[in-house]
Amino acid sequence: MGFHKPPKKYGAALGRAKFKLNAGWLVLLAVCIIIISGLTIWNALHLQSAINRRTEAYVSDVSDQLCTDIDYRLSKVTKDLEMLGDSGGQPGLSDNEELLKSFLSRKAEILGFTSLIVLNSQGDVYETNPTGADLLALPGVQDSLAGKNGVSFLNEQSILYSIPLSTENYEEYSVLAGVRDKGNMQELIQAKSFGGSGLSCLIDLEGDMIISPTNSEPFLRLDDIFMKKSDDRVISHIYQMQQDMQAHQGGVFTFTAADGTELVLSYRPLMSFDWVLLTLVPANLISYDTDKYILQTYMIISGTVVFFALILAFLFRIYRNHYKELEYSAFIDHLTGGMNNAAFQLKCQEVFAQSPPGTYAVALLNIKNFKLINESFGSDEGNRTLEFIMRALESFSGPGEFAARAEADNYFFCMKENDPDTIRGRLRTIAETINDRIKIFDSEHETPFKLILRQGVYVVDDPSLEITIIQDRARTACWNRAAQEDNPCVFYNTEFTESMKREQELNDLFEDSLRKGEFQVYFQPKVWGKNGEIGGAEALVRWLHPQRGMISPGDFIPVLEKSGRICQLDFYVFEQTCKFLHGRLESGKRAFPVSVNLSRRHFKDPDALAKLQKIAEDNGVPTDLLELELTESIFFNDRGIEYVKKQIQEMHRIGFRCSLDDFGAGYSSLGLLMEFDVDVVKLDRRFFLDVGRKKARDVVTAITELAQKIGAKTVAEGIETQEQLDFVKEARCDMIQGYIYARPMPVSEFERWIDQRQSPGNTN
Ligand code: C2E
Ligand code: CA
Ligand code: CA
């Protein structure tokens, strides 16, 4: 086979999904997970900011404490100097230079100054330990000369504290100063620097460094610590800090340093001088331990969320598969793996709604005698064929076109065409391609089975119709009698609906008419060709409807065949025939075989022959007076040749005769005669339409000879003219039936006809 099979991806999964999952539960679960994780993160963030606030408060507290210490230290130094100044002013001490020297040296040692200095604005200087600096130039000294306490730096290492000394002699102040190593203050700052994890320093109001904990490196370079200048939050913090410092206020803020670490910066003004204590501490100072747990909490939460998300994803997958399986069962034809009818209908609705009338055509394709494939080649081969045709239709689908197997061997094909010739041509190509590529053989036949696709097409001129009606129209066209092998493609027209209505009407009338005896049995005689005597008759039914008049069998027989009611009618005709024969037997008249037409439908009922036998028995008619006419279609029975052979055997066993009706009208082959054991062959009237042609005569002669050889009698049907009569006699047909002798007649008329016929001298 030449068409690809789509992967049956859903097949194996079918039946696996036992979960009754639906999207609502999954969404609910997802929402729960999102809410729980959101709440937890919210909580953790709040915990974090609470800890940050704690850290800031703690840093502020410690800085305040440190400020107090520093202030105390500075005021102590100033106090020491003041006390010293007071005692230096005692009489005798200031006048006696030697005494003053030793006094100051001693005091310097006691109070921990590296040098004590007395100086005035004239440049008189006394130092216990020479500093070598230009003391008058120091800003603190200048402050003290002006009457204020001052502080200055000597080289990098020392701080010079100075106080004014008032003198009686001078308007100006002289100055008492003490030098201290900066290390004292550094130790103080260092000691309090949060166990080494924080840093403190003193700066002046301009932000210049006064004391840092170590000498070697400048401790603070704000530019280095603060991140980019563009960080608005940091800039506003710095701005706020500058404002606060000018206003002698303290503050604290947290920021991210240039290296990415979170830091807390506190700034506290000192009381003693215009200095500010800056303290810088890692933000996780307090949360250092808790951070670990917070991180762990985060990780546990993330793990849990991931775990649930995975479960959710897994469930979602199951759900999706489950959904696909449902979709598969709902919309996929399991046998072919293609679309099923439900999917086809949905798709049609979708495309028809978007297109103007006459854009699409819906075709129904049906495989003629598909059951024969199953019967003769096995159902596997049948399934293979169905699948193959589905693939073929799919591969012949153009853009916007699609096909589906609706049920059994019926396919719908939605084509984007409206021109009947194009549609017919495309469908023919599809049918030809299928026959070219699929080869269904069995061991007995050399030529492959020919697939005939019956085709019914409805050009969708009204897309607003219900899709089932659209499909029905294609179906009506497909099953319309106009579909023949040479014209397998029938287009729907409104007449079909009309004729369907008529059919429906006839079916509706039938039962009532049968009950009321509106069906009558007519008899048409069969006459022996050799002597012109009556050899039998055929029972032919007539429908005499009180309102509609005589309805022709040609109109109602096919309708009743379709609906299956024909069997009832056949039994009725058979019974009436039996009654007729019984009447003749009863009255001692000569009886002759009468044939009754049997619809192929009876062959679906295994008890049909038994029922006929019973009717004959009930009416006391010997079965050999009854002949059953079978049309060739019976011989292509769904159940196979063997079944028909058995049925014929059964007829013979019961005693019925069996005739092959309409031989030559359809596809009758001589093979049929060999295959089936029939008693009579009825040559169809079309053999005799052209008796002038030698070939036609030769064919008839050959058939009669063949029939004789297999022991069957021949009946020439539909003989109307003398020429035809002469010919059938010459061709040695055993019996003749036709208008030339008599039309089918009601019983009474037929009886009269027989009487007349049997009167001496009338043997034409
Ligand atoms: P059929 O079985 O081939 O019956 C012969 C038909 O040929 C009859 O048509 C008969 O009236 C017609 N006929 C006979 N001689 C001549 C002739 O010389 N010239 C022409 N032109 N026609 C001739 P009818 O009675 O209209 O029946 C038509 C068909 O209806 C029958 O064809 C048979 O297939 C079916 N039929 C009739 N009665 C019954 C019945 O009771 N049961 C079933 N199942 N089918 C029936
Ligand atoms: Ca017949
Ligand atoms: Ca016939």
Side-chain angles (χ1 to χ4, degrees):
M1 295 208 196
F3 300 103
H4 295 293
K5 185 179 173 179
K8 284 197 174 175
K9 49 189 169 181
Y10 311 111
L14 272 172
R16 191 175 5 95
K18 293 199 173 71
F19 290 90
K20 282 272 180 241
L21 280 176
N22 67 43
W25 283 112
L26 292 182
V27 170
L28 191 72
L29 197 59
V31 168
C32 285
I33 290 176
I34 290 170
I35 289 177
I36 291 171
S37 30
L39 277 176
T40 320
I41 290 169
W42 183 84
N43 217 37
L45 288 175
H46 274 70
L47 177 63
Q48 189 76 57
S49 71
I51 290 173
N52 286 349
R53 280 198 304 278
R54 269 295 171 83
T55 309
E56 288 185 356
Y58 172 63
V59 172
S60 295
D61 287 353
V62 175
S63 300
D64 279 347
Q65 185 61 49
L66 187 53
C67 274
T68 313
D69 287 358
I70 293 168
D71 271 328
Y72 173 75
R73 183 72 65 93
L74 290 173
S75 68
K76 174 113 186 345
V77 173
T78 316
K79 285 243 168 60
D80 285 351
L81 285 175
E82 281 168 1
M83 270 166 54
L84 198 57
D86 290 349
S87 49
Q90 284 168 15
L93 193 62
S94 54
D95 302 334
N96 187 334
E97 195 171 321
E98 277 306 307
L99 206 61
L100 180 68
K101 268 187 185 174
S102 71
F103 172 75
L104 287 178
S105 297
R106 217 170 44 250
K107 283 291 180 188
E109 214 181 295
I110 293 166
L111 297 172
F113 291 106
T114 49
S115 180
L116 278 172
I117 302 160
V118 179
L119 77 158
N120 62 24
S121 59
Q122 277 77 44
D124 301 329
V125 177
Y126 173 71
E127 302 173 79
T128 57
N129 197 0
T131 57
D134 178 5
L135 296 172
L136 273 180
L138 296 174
V141 173
Q142 286 296 325
D143 287 345
S144 296
L145 283 173
K148 290 195 287 183
N149 289 350
V151 64
S152 312
F153 285 95
L154 273 185
N155 48 63
E156 291 289 293
Q157 297 304 318
S158 309
I159 307 171
L160 184 140
Y161 302 92
S162 56
I163 58 162
L165 290 175
S166 55
T167 56
E168 290 161 19
N169 309 350
Y170 298 99
E171 293 279 292
E172 288 181 307
Y173 295 94
S174 61
V175 173
L176 173 61
V179 178
R180 276 227 168 140
D181 196 69
K182 209 167 72 176
N184 282 338
M185 197 65 83
Q186 280 178 329
E187 270 169 32
L188 181 66
I189 295 171
Q190 234 158 11
K192 300 274 182 179
S193 296
F194 303 97
S197 61
L199 295 164
S200 296
C201 65
L202 287 170
I203 58 169
D204 61 19
L205 293 181
E206 275 67 51
D208 292 330
M209 177 67 60
I210 295 167
I211 295 170
S212 66
T214 51
N215 289 324
S216 46
E217 283 285 308
F219 154 68
L220 262 185
R221 283 246 181 82
L222 293 182
D223 288 353
D224 290 348
I225 294 170
F226 294 127
M227 257 212 311
K228 295 161 235 155
K229 291 270 186 296
S230 56
D231 188 331
D232 289 346
R233 270 187 62 221
V234 176
I235 289 172
S236 77
H237 279 314
I238 293 173
Y239 179 73
Q240 182 65 44
M241 182 169 103
Q242 283 167 350
Q243 302 262 308
D244 289 348
M245 276 161 60
Q246 294 302 328
H248 287 275
Q249 282 177 354
V252 62
F253 63 89
T254 307
F255 68 99
T256 308
D259 66 355
T261 49
E262 284 277 299
L263 297 174
V264 177
L265 179 66
S266 127
Y267 49 95
R268 301 276 135 189
L270 294 188
M271 307 291 275
S272 320
F273 300 103
D274 283 343
W275 290 355
V276 175
L277 177 72
L278 278 193
T279 306
L280 195 64
V281 175
N284 68 355
L285 180 74
I286 289 180
S287 64
Y288 179 74
D289 287 335
T290 53
D291 269 359
K292 202 171 72 183
Y293 295 110
I294 290 177
L295 187 73
Q296 278 175 7
T297 310
Y298 271 132
M299 279 165 62
I300 291 168
I301 292 165
S302 320
T304 315
V305 168
V306 167
F307 177 71
F308 277 108
L310 286 175
I311 287 186
L312 194 68
F314 175 70
L315 289 179
F316 188 72
R317 230 180 108 97
I318 292 180
Y319 171 75
R320 218 181 43 187
N321 284 347
H322 182 61
Y323 183 79
K324 273 189 183 161
E325 282 156 15
L326 282 179
E327 196 182 56
Y328 179 79
S329 330
F331 296 121
I332 301 287
D333 170 39
H334 288 272
L335 191 98
T336 62
M339 277 170 120
N340 68 6
N341 199 36
F344 183 84
Q345 292 181 335
L346 278 180
K347 190 106 204 239
C348 280
Q349 269 165 6
E350 190 188 311
V351 298
F352 293 170
Q354 296 160 6
S355 41
T359 311
Y360 286 95
V362 170
L364 174 72
L365 310 180
N366 171 270
I367 308 165
K368 194 173 172 196
N369 293 329
F370 175 71
K371 285 184 178 128
L372 267 187
I373 299 180
N374 276 339
E375 181 71 39
S376 321
F377 305 99
S379 59
D380 282 350
E381 191 64 28
N383 291 348
R384 194 179 74 105
T385 308
L386 291 174
E387 205 179 326
F388 184 86
I389 292 175
M390 187 66 217
R391 291 291 90 72
L393 287 174
E394 281 169 352
S395 77
F396 276 100
S397 300
E401 298 185 333
F402 46 94
R405 188 178 76 108
E407 75 285 307
D409 57 338
N410 293 318
Y411 297 83
F412 279 108
F413 186 25
C414 179
M415 306 167 82
K416 214 170 179 177
E417 305 279 5
N418 56 15
D419 173 51
D421 287 341
T422 316
I423 294 171
R424 202 172 272 123
R426 281 189 61 190
L427 293 177
R428 190 172 43 239
T429 309
I430 293 174
E432 281 168 6
T433 313
I434 289 172
N435 271 299
D436 277 354
R437 298 208 195 156
I438 194 171
K439 299 280 184 228
I440 309 170
F441 288 106
D442 68 358
S443 49
E444 293 169 29
H445 299 88
E446 283 197 353
T447 46
F449 184 90
K450 185 166 189 274
L451 277 177
I452 295 165
L453 285 181
R454 291 196 191 98
Q455 304 147 20
V457 183
Y458 171 56
V459 176
V460 188
D461 44 24
D462 181 2
S464 66
L465 282 175
E466 265 178 54
I467 180 63
T468 44
I469 294 180
I470 291 176
Q471 288 182 307
D472 278 347
R473 291 191 170 181
R475 199 176 272 121
T476 307
C478 188
W479 294 109
N480 190 277
R481 266 169 287 141
Q484 303 290 327
E485 195 177 341
D486 49 343
N487 172 31
C489 183
V490 180
F491 283 78
Y492 173 85
N493 66 50
T494 42
E495 274 176 34
F496 292 173
T497 319
E498 291 306 312
S499 76
M500 270 171 66
K501 280 187 193 151
R502 276 199 301 276
E503 285 181 13
Q504 185 61 40
E505 229 171 356
L506 290 179
N507 274 312
D508 291 346
L509 291 174
F510 172 75
E511 309 248 336
D512 206 32
S513 279
L514 191 65
R515 215 175 33 248
K516 290 181 180 159
E518 289 165 10
F519 285 97
Q520 284 197 11
V521 181
Y522 280 34
F523 294 94
Q524 186 180 32
K526 298 173 196 165
V527 175
W528 286 113
K530 55 180 189 239
N531 57 17
E533 278 181 26
I534 180 161
E538 178 175 3
L540 292 159
V541 74
R542 295 289 177 263
W543 190 349
L544 302 165
H545 196 269
Q547 279 83 42
R548 294 167 162 257
M550 163 107 88
I551 307 171
S552 150
D555 287 338
F556 69 83
I557 296 285
V559 175
L560 299 179
E561 288 239 346
K562 230 197 241 179
S563 67
R565 291 185 168 89
I566 188 71
C567 297
Q568 256 177 290
L569 184 65
D570 283 354
F571 285 129
Y572 174 79
V573 173
F574 186 81
E575 193 176 5
Q576 296 301 310
T577 304
C578 289
K579 288 198 162 102
F580 163 71
L581 284 171
H582 176 75
R584 281 192 74 84
L585 291 170
E586 277 282 276
S587 53
K589 290 181 184 163
R590 197 190 128 210
F592 39 78
V594 180
S595 61
V596 178
N597 293 284
L598 265 204
S599 161
R600 55 181 296 180
R601 283 278 189 162
H602 292 282
F603 279 70
K604 285 201 178 357
D605 173 11
D607 297 332
L609 290 176
K611 288 176 190 165
L612 293 173
Q613 181 181 18
K614 182 159 191 307
I615 296 172
E617 276 170 14
D618 289 352
N619 286 282
V621 178
T623 47
D624 61 354
L625 285 181
L626 292 158
E627 184 177 313
L628 304 176
E629 294 197 9
L630 314 176
T631 53
E632 59 182 2
S633 64
I634 284 171
F635 298 92
F636 298 105
N637 189 272
D638 297 345
R639 301 197 192 188
I641 291 166
E642 285 309 312
Y643 178 77
V644 179
K645 277 187 184 168
K646 281 211 181 85
Q647 290 284 301
I648 294 174
Q649 275 170 15
E650 179 65 8
M651 283 176 207
H652 286 147
R653 195 193 59 74
I654 295 169
F656 294 137
R657 292 150 165 255
C658 163
S659 61
L660 173 54
D661 198 4
D662 298 340
F663 185 81
Y667 313 101
S668 328
S669 71
L670 295 174
L672 274 182
L673 294 180
M674 319 293 276
E675 196 84 44
F676 300 101
D677 184 18
V678 292
D679 306 294
V680 179
V681 180
K682 295 187 80 180
L683 280 76
D684 192 78
R685 58 185 287 270
R686 72 185 63 183
F687 277 121
F688 315 108
L689 291 178
D690 195 11
V691 287
R693 268 177 63 224
K694 182 174 180 296
K695 194 163 185 182
R697 294 208 307 269
D698 289 347
V699 169
V700 174
T701 315
I703 293 171
T704 45
E705 276 172 9
L706 180 70
Q708 265 167 11
K709 281 203 178 107
I710 61 169
K713 297 262 179 279
T714 48
V715 177
E717 278 192 299
I719 303 304
E720 295 176 354
T721 64
Q722 191 59 45
E723 191 192 7
Q724 287 173 326
L725 184 65
D726 293 344
F727 164 67
V728 293
K729 281 183 174 170
E730 183 195 316
R732 292 183 191 284
C733 280
D734 297 305
M735 278 194 266
I736 298 144
Q737 178 183 352
Y739 295 166
I740 191 152
Y741 290 119
R743 291 181 175 253
M745 296 163 280
V747 184
S748 51
E749 202 179 317
F750 181 50
E751 295 273 18
R752 275 202 303 279
W753 184 87
I754 300 168
D755 292 345
Q756 216 178 8
R757 187 80 191 163
Q758 283 175 342
S759 57
N762 198 352
T763 54
N764 203 1

